[in-house]
Amino acid sequence: MIDTGGEGHTDGEAGADTGVHANAASSLLEVAVALPVPGTFTYRDPRPGSVIVAGTQVVVPFGGRTVTGFVLGPGRPMGGTVKPRDIESVVAGGPAFDEPILELCRWAADYYQAPLGEILRAGLPQGERANAVRLVRLTPAGQRAARGESPASQITLGGIDAGGGDINPILRMLLDAGGEMQSRAIARQAGPQAARVAGQIAKLEAAGLVEVGDEVRDRRSPPSVQIVLAAAMNKSLETKALPARAQVRRLVLEKIRAVTDGIVLSALSQPERAHVRALASAGLVHVQRRPVSPAGEQARPRVAGPPPTPTSAQANAIAALSAALGAGYACFLLQGVTGSGKTEVYLRVIAEARAAGRGALVLVPEIALTPQLAGRFRARFGDDVAVLHSALPPRERLAAWRRLRAGEVGIALGARSAVFAPVRDLGVVVVDEEHDSSFKQEEGVRYHGRDLAVVRAQRAGAIAILGSATPSLESKRNVHLGRFRQLLLPERATPRPLPPVEIVDLRRHPPGPGGLLSIPLAEAVAGNLAAGQQTILFLNRRGFSTVVLCRACGHVVRCAHCAVSMTYHRGRDRLICHYCGTQESVPAVCPACRVPKLERLGMGTERVEALVKEQFPGARVARLDRDTAGSGTGRADGAGRLEEVLRAMNAGEIDILVGTQMVTKGHDFGGVTLVGVLQPDQAMHLPDFRAAERVFQLLEQVAGRAGRGDRPGRVIVQTYNPEHAAVVCVRNHDYEGFVRGEMAARAETGYPPFTRMVVLRLDGPDERRVRADARAVADAAQAAGGERVHLRGPAEAPIPRVRGRSRFQVWLAATERAPLSAAARAGAAVKLGPDVRLVLDVDPQSTL
């Protein structure tokens, strides 16, 4: 049980001192702390007569810590002996959330059974939220010990090496860092011994060698500049302040007056700035600090020329959506084949909403889609678009978020977390590529961006548009049930039809050199190169080799912490685990038999790139996957390289683009006339009930990259399973046929969209302990859910060990939400053994 310091309550139950008077009750506040703890907590505002608006961030004591929280409204006094603690301070800058977003987060916390404070924290960009960090500081005695001047330096921390010999490594770390570090930074530096850091810090604190405290860092100031503005003209004041000899100062004043919106102070020379100070003292100018939009968010000039003329199908969809604007909530499934012009429909409807003074929210599944889509939106709407995604520098993302909140911008465009963007008077919500599993958050609060976007539209009385060429089965089921209205775009917006799909049976046409291209695909690539046309080769696996295997004994090099093989990345010359991130050098001999017969088998995009360059030496070859595009940690690392690849592809500077599913997501490359799919077979046989659906969606989406320009395209799929339903339906672009077959299979087996599901995932270092706890969780869930909840498990996860922790799962399914939620809550409430963690995932998207 987490120590909450005695001030808390859960699920809205307030705790208050019985001595609180009626006139003091109004100073009680309900607060959700920004920690992964359930419930909300009651605090007291000690400032007489103050009013704190809901949505405001506050600094509060919590147990032995100082943390941030969000005010939800007035607290409720109750009887008993619990006395609420006082808030410590209010974070400056006004409310972080308005009431509609607060209510959306409350709904999400209830539906996803997640801590409300965690959801609120996830809804703010970095810099807008105030952060409480735990700091460890050396005391004078600790400084002496860190320098080896005291026997206390011999307090050990086994396994952590800070390079200090016999000196305690934590003390050495602190000394090297200037005497102070964040506790999490110490843990990161400790590496594999990070779990022992907290206990060792406690020992050092008890010995008087360090002090541990929490520091709350206020919101980051927005980017701003100092602007010099001329005051209203006053001849008598000027005559007095500017004598005849002050010619230079007079010229500076005239220079400032010539610019209506003011001059940036830093743009003036140093002598001119000195005159500005004198002019300001005389009251002839005044200097103000004004927020500015960073370079990535400044207004782009609109592209000249009218928008394209809609096709008849587009016009019908636009008319239906426009008629629904302003008439309350409605959700539409815009199903259009690849290249049918769904984006143009979005643009037209959003333009009508903006003309009516309503805002718009547009979600895309990944940053890979954002640069191209952002360009189209800015070409149509100029600086009325704010882009929000994780690849933007924090200052840029923060500035965009604040412009939205201030009402300076009316359209928010971004990935999953943009669902919380503070768009004013929301009129349209768009979820592009709504089928994409990237909309599901798989860490922290496991919300689904698409579903939360629909709820937000419903609460705002807005229309929601879910767009896809291959809609999810959940959305198709909602159309069948009358919850969504379907709009169809059955043909491409250009004269070119969908490209024909050829299936190459690898049992009859085995791959050629390097196990890569069959003869039909190799000939097609060579012909495309000779014609000066572009090719995409799709393989949904990163790396150079997926397996490093010993030819002598058959041993496969596996991650020491996960039950998976390591992937070899030639560019880094390292073995990397794609689950925990562990990196190792390639051993010279087999770890099992010590024979030097290790071989790199299997294929990833890095190897495909190398083999293609060997087979077609004159071709300009590039690769697009998460290794080359970065992980979205910053523009200089990730987004810059991604945009460069997309620019080069659009400019015709790349002949062959090798990529993972990043190349399937909505890109419009007019020069691509050939798409080759290399090995979809592994994905077909994953232990996941959504495997066939995902394979069909990927194949159909990547096939849609071909023939989008002036020339016809073709698609070649290499497979050992040409009879698989996904492959058969892709051959004919038969989405409806695939849906009929897959829906029948799901209905028979009781999987979504015909049931609701929750999975309880447990992991821990001791397999027997985790297994026993999983059994207890399953029993509690079944007892609470009764016959209306179907239990699957407990069972070992398909990947039974990750990061050194054994994994078990308990799956719950029901047709009604109430019994399913009750069963999940009961299972999650079971007391677990030491070091066993439980994660509750509502509407899970993966079984792995």
Side-chain angles (χ1 to χ4, degrees):
M1 179 69 69
I2 295 177
D3 174 22
T4 60
E7 81 282 6
H9 60 88
T10 59
D11 296 328
E13 295 299 320
D17 179 15
T18 53
V20 175
H21 298 290
N23 63 351
S26 61
S27 67
L28 297 181
L29 303 170
E30 182 186 10
V31 175
V33 295
L35 292 173
V37 294
T40 58
F41 303 86
T42 294
Y43 288 88
R44 190 177 74 92
D45 182 0
R47 302 169 304 166
S50 67
V51 176
I52 300 180
V53 178
T56 300
Q57 288 187 83
V58 291
V59 179
V60 295
F62 192 81
R65 303 175 57 183
T66 300
V67 301
T68 58
F70 301 90
V71 174
L72 304 174
R76 293 179 299 165
M78 291 181 62
T81 60
V82 178
K83 182 177 180 179
R85 299 169 73 177
D86 291 348
I87 65 170
E88 294 187 1
S89 63
V90 177
V91 177
F97 294 103
D98 59 17
E99 191 60 35
I101 299 294
L102 278 179
E103 288 305 310
L104 178 71
C105 291
R106 282 185 184 272
W107 182 93
D110 176 65
Y111 183 83
Y112 292 106
Q113 300 192 29
L116 177 55
E118 281 282 276
I119 292 180
L120 290 165
R121 180 179 172 83
L124 286 181
Q126 183 181 347
E128 182 62 22
R129 54 183 182 242
N131 294 309
V133 295
R134 176 147 288 196
L135 296 174
V136 183
R137 300 182 183 90
L138 286 173
T139 63
Q143 292 176 2
R144 292 192 296 273
R147 291 191 293 265
E149 301 170 359
S150 152
S153 64
Q154 302 303 313
I155 296 177
T156 61
L157 181 60
I160 300 179
D161 180 12
D166 294 332
I167 303 296
N168 175 273
I170 288 182
L171 296 179
R172 172 65 65 181
M173 290 181 201
L174 290 168
L175 185 66
D176 292 343
E180 176 182 288
M181 289 179 71
Q182 292 186 31
S183 59
R184 60 186 179 187
I186 296 173
R188 280 197 304 270
Q189 196 165 329
Q193 296 296 318
R196 304 182 60 187
V197 164
Q200 292 293 331
I201 289 175
K203 288 182 180 179
L204 294 171
E205 185 180 23
L209 302 178
V210 301
E211 296 175 339
V212 181
D214 290 289
E215 177 180 299
V216 175
R217 297 181 175 177
D218 215 337
R219 300 185 195 178
R220 184 178 297 164
S221 299
S224 61
V225 292
Q226 287 182 293
I227 303 293
V228 186
L229 295 157
M233 291 188 68
N234 187 319
K235 285 294 183 182
S236 61
L237 188 62
E238 283 187 41
T239 301
K240 182 178 179 181
L242 297 175
R245 65 180 182 276
Q247 292 297 323
V248 176
R249 189 168 300 171
R250 191 181 301 278
L251 290 173
V252 172
L253 177 60
E254 294 304 320
K255 183 176 181 178
I256 295 170
R257 279 181 175 160
V259 183
T260 305
D261 295 330
I263 287 181
V264 177
L265 181 62
S266 59
L268 298 173
S269 66
Q270 191 65 43
E272 287 176 327
R273 288 182 219 169
H275 289 297
V276 165
R277 286 193 288 273
L279 290 169
S281 298
L284 297 177
V285 302
H286 53 91
V287 181
Q288 62 179 226
R289 187 165 288 278
R290 182 183 297 172
V292 296
S293 300
E297 286 299 307
Q298 287 185 3
R300 270 71 167 178
R302 300 175 186 239
V303 174
T309 301
T311 64
S312 58
Q314 285 177 315
N316 291 336
I318 293 166
L321 294 165
S322 299
L325 272 175
Y329 164 73
C331 188
F332 296 83
L333 177 63
L334 182 62
Q335 181 181 332
V337 299
T338 55
S340 60
K342 294 183 289 294
T343 303
E344 182 61 27
V345 174
Y346 306 152
L347 292 167
R348 297 265 183 161
V349 176
I350 290 172
E352 293 205 24
R354 294 301 295 137
R358 305 290 298 275
L361 170 64
V362 182
L363 300 185
V364 295
E366 291 197 51
I367 62 168
L369 280 176
T370 309
Q372 187 169 349
L373 198 61
R376 293 191 64 179
F377 269 75
R378 283 180 171 135
R380 193 71 60 91
F381 299 109
D383 61 353
D384 197 28
V385 181
V387 178
L388 301 164
H389 61 70
S390 59
L392 291 173
R395 273 185 168 271
E396 197 166 318
R397 192 162 68 251
L398 175 60
W401 192 91
R402 285 177 169 168
R403 291 171 65 211
L404 282 165
R405 188 177 64 176
E408 299 170 9
V409 177
I411 303 170
L413 170 63
R416 180 178 55 228
S417 62
V419 71
F420 299 106
V423 180
R424 289 192 177 184
D425 196 11
L426 190 62
V428 179
V429 175
V430 173
V431 183
D432 193 31
E433 307 293 353
E434 66 85 28
H435 66 276
D436 200 291
S437 60
S438 299
F439 282 118
K440 183 64 187 287
Q441 171 76 17
E442 296 293 353
E443 298 289 339
V445 179
R446 287 163 168 76
Y447 66 90
H448 199 298
R450 176 200 61 205
D451 298 346
L452 209 51
V454 172
V455 173
R456 183 168 181 188
Q458 185 178 41
R459 289 172 170 266
I463 64 169
I465 309 171
L466 311 183
S468 177
T470 55
S472 64
L473 266 63
E474 284 81 0
S475 292
K476 288 294 283 187
R477 177 71 174 164
N478 279 327
V479 169
H480 177 75
L481 296 174
R483 296 171 182 160
F484 296 173
R485 179 180 168 187
Q486 183 170 271
L487 302 173
L488 294 175
L489 302 178
E491 297 177 348
R492 284 186 160 179
T494 61
R496 295 292 176 193
L498 289 171
V501 179
E502 306 165 34
I503 308 300
V504 174
D505 186 346
L506 290 177
R507 297 169 298 186
R508 296 176 53 200
H509 303 280
L516 177 60
L517 303 181
S518 63
I519 291 176
L521 182 53
E523 291 177 346
V525 173
N528 228 39
L529 283 170
Q533 298 171 14
Q534 291 177 303
T535 299
I536 287 177
L537 294 178
F538 168 67
L539 176 69
N540 207 28
R541 285 198 299 279
R542 290 182 291 150
F544 187 82
S545 301
T546 53
V547 173
V548 176
L549 175 141
C550 176
R551 289 288 192 186
C553 71
H555 175 77
V556 173
V557 179
R558 292 181 169 269
C559 176
H561 312 291
C562 309
V564 295
S565 60
M566 302 281 277
T567 299
Y568 176 64
H569 289 247
R570 189 169 69 170
R572 307 184 212 179
D573 193 27
R574 304 284 286 174
L575 290 170
I576 300 176
C577 175
H578 287 171
Y579 286 86
C580 71
T582 295
Q583 298 190 24
E584 299 175 0
S585 58
V586 182
V589 298
C590 173
C593 70
R594 313 305 297 174
V595 174
K597 288 193 175 182
L598 289 175
E599 295 216 13
R600 298 159 178 78
L601 304 177
M603 189 178 300
T605 48
E606 188 179 6
R607 186 178 183 191
V608 171
E609 180 188 23
L611 289 172
V612 167
K613 287 179 177 178
E614 291 177 10
Q615 192 165 353
F616 305 102
R620 298 169 296 177
V621 183
R623 175 162 51 98
L624 182 59
D625 56 24
R626 292 200 180 280
D627 294 324
T628 58
S631 58
T633 58
R635 177 175 297 276
D637 177 39
R641 292 200 300 272
L642 168 64
E643 292 187 25
E644 175 56 28
V645 171
L646 298 181
R647 184 208 61 77
M649 193 67 182
N650 280 310
E653 298 170 4
I654 296 172
D655 297 316
I656 302 174
L657 179 64
V658 176
T660 60
Q661 61 178 309
M662 292 185 77
V663 304
T664 73
K665 297 178 182 293
H667 303 298
D668 191 1
F669 302 130
V672 173
T673 56
L674 174 65
V675 167
V677 179
L678 300 184
Q679 292 179 0
D681 302 82
Q682 182 179 7
M684 297 177 187
H685 304 294
L686 289 174
D688 193 323
F689 68 88
R690 287 192 172 90
E693 180 185 5
R694 289 205 177 109
V695 169
F696 176 83
Q697 289 167 339
L698 276 173
L699 293 180
E700 187 67 16
Q701 291 284 338
V702 74
R705 300 314 108 201
R708 297 172 76 98
D710 297 331
R711 291 165 291 193
R714 63 189 292 209
V715 180
I716 297 177
V717 179
Q718 297 185 159
T719 176
Y720 289 100
N721 296 273
E723 302 87 6
H724 191 280
V727 175
V728 171
C729 292
V730 163
R731 176 189 293 153
N732 302 313
H733 298 291
D734 186 9
Y735 169 78
E736 298 297 339
F738 175 79
V739 167
R740 284 193 297 271
E742 188 67 11
M743 285 285 198
R746 300 273 188 96
E748 182 179 350
T749 53
Y751 280 111
F754 297 95
T755 59
R756 299 171 179 267
M757 298 196 82
V758 174
V759 61
L760 300 160
R761 296 189 173 97
L762 296 92
D763 65 81
D766 185 340
E767 178 185 340
R768 288 177 298 177
R769 178 74 259 178
V770 179
R771 186 189 301 270
D773 282 352
R775 179 73 266 169
V777 167
D779 291 343
Q782 189 69 80
E787 296 180 355
R788 292 184 293 173
V789 175
H790 179 66
L791 176 73
R792 293 180 172 95
E796 197 171 49
I799 300 175
R801 195 166 181 84
V802 172
R803 297 182 177 92
R805 300 176 70 86
S806 296
R807 306 170 71 235
F808 282 78
Q809 299 181 346
V810 177
W811 286 78
L812 308 173
T815 57
E816 303 171 60
R817 179 187 169 193
L820 183 64
S821 295
R825 291 183 194 279
V830 170
K831 186 176 170 116
L832 305 175
D835 293 327
V836 177
R837 297 181 302 206
L838 183 146
V839 170
L840 189 153
D841 190 356
V842 178
D843 300 332
Q845 296 296 299
S846 172
T847 64
L848 301 180

